[in-house]
């Protein structure tokens, strides 16, 4: 069995003897029911929170500047522009390419990498391995997404009795 992934280290994905290994997690290939590559939707909620916080901050700063310099100056316009730039950056950077491998039990493995082409190649290899039992491959995934619960690349959810990882 492969060692579990550690933060800051690459994660090994492999198909060996009809078993899909993602780090130390294993799933039989015969249980794979769905493989797809797509971009996640933007994080509108996160962008909205940033927008509200920055608008409040801009209002407080402009009120403070108005009371000290008599209301003249470009501060409100600059702060509004800064707010819009930050919100747009959050929306653009939250669209991550993902590879989703769903199992018959309803559990999902979600992998992220910087490019869609790399994920499509891995998805193609997984699908090819399902139809060809003798096919084996391995790939090393750079850790790109650091916001989920299982290491930094894999997020498993769904399934029966899945309680996550308890340390």
């Amino acid at each position: 069995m492969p060692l579990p992934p550690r933060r800051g280290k690459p994660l090994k994905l492999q198909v060996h003897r009809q078993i899909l290994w993602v780090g130390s997690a294993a799933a039989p290939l015969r249980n794979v029911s769905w493989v797809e590559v797509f971009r996640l939707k933007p994080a509108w909620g996160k962008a909205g929170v940033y927008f509200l916080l920055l608008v409040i901050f801009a209002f407080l700063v402009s009120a403070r500047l108005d009371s000290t310099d008599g209301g003249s100056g470009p501060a409100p316009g600059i702060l509004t522009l800064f707010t819009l730039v930050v919100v747009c950056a959050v929306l653009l950077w939250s669209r991550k390419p993902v590879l989703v491998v769903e199992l018959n039990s309803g559990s999902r493995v979600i992998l992220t990498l910087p490019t869609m082409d790399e994920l499509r190649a891995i998805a193609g290899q997984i699908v090819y391995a399902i139809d060809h039992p003798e096919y084996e491959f391995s790939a090393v995934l750079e850790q790109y997404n650091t916001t989920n619960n299982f290491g930094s690349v894999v997020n498993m959810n769904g399934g029966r009795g899945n309680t996550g990882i308890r340390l």
Side-chain angles (χ1 to χ4, degrees), residues 88-162:
C88 289
V90 167
L91 288 174
L92 290 175
W93 283 323
S94 65
R95 289 187 45 115
K96 290 185 173 71
V98 295
L99 165 66
V100 178
V101 179
E102 187 166 332
L103 306 175
N104 291 336
S105 64
S107 299
R108 280 177 247 127
V109 178
I110 302 173
L111 305 168
T112 61
L113 283 174
T115 66
M116 295 285 284
D117 293 334
E118 291 175 286
L119 290 174
R120 284 188 188 108
I122 292 171
Q125 288 181 312
I126 291 171
V127 171
Y128 186 81
I130 292 170
D131 287 338
H132 299 86
E134 72 283 352
Y135 183 71
E136 296 182 354
F137 77 94
S138 68
V140 177
L141 306 177
E142 296 297 322
Q143 296 184 348
Y144 180 62
N145 181 6
T146 59
T147 60
N148 50 37
N149 298 327
F150 185 74
S152 58
V153 176
V154 180
N155 182 12
M156 291 186 168
N157 51 17
R160 294 184 186 160
N162 184 4

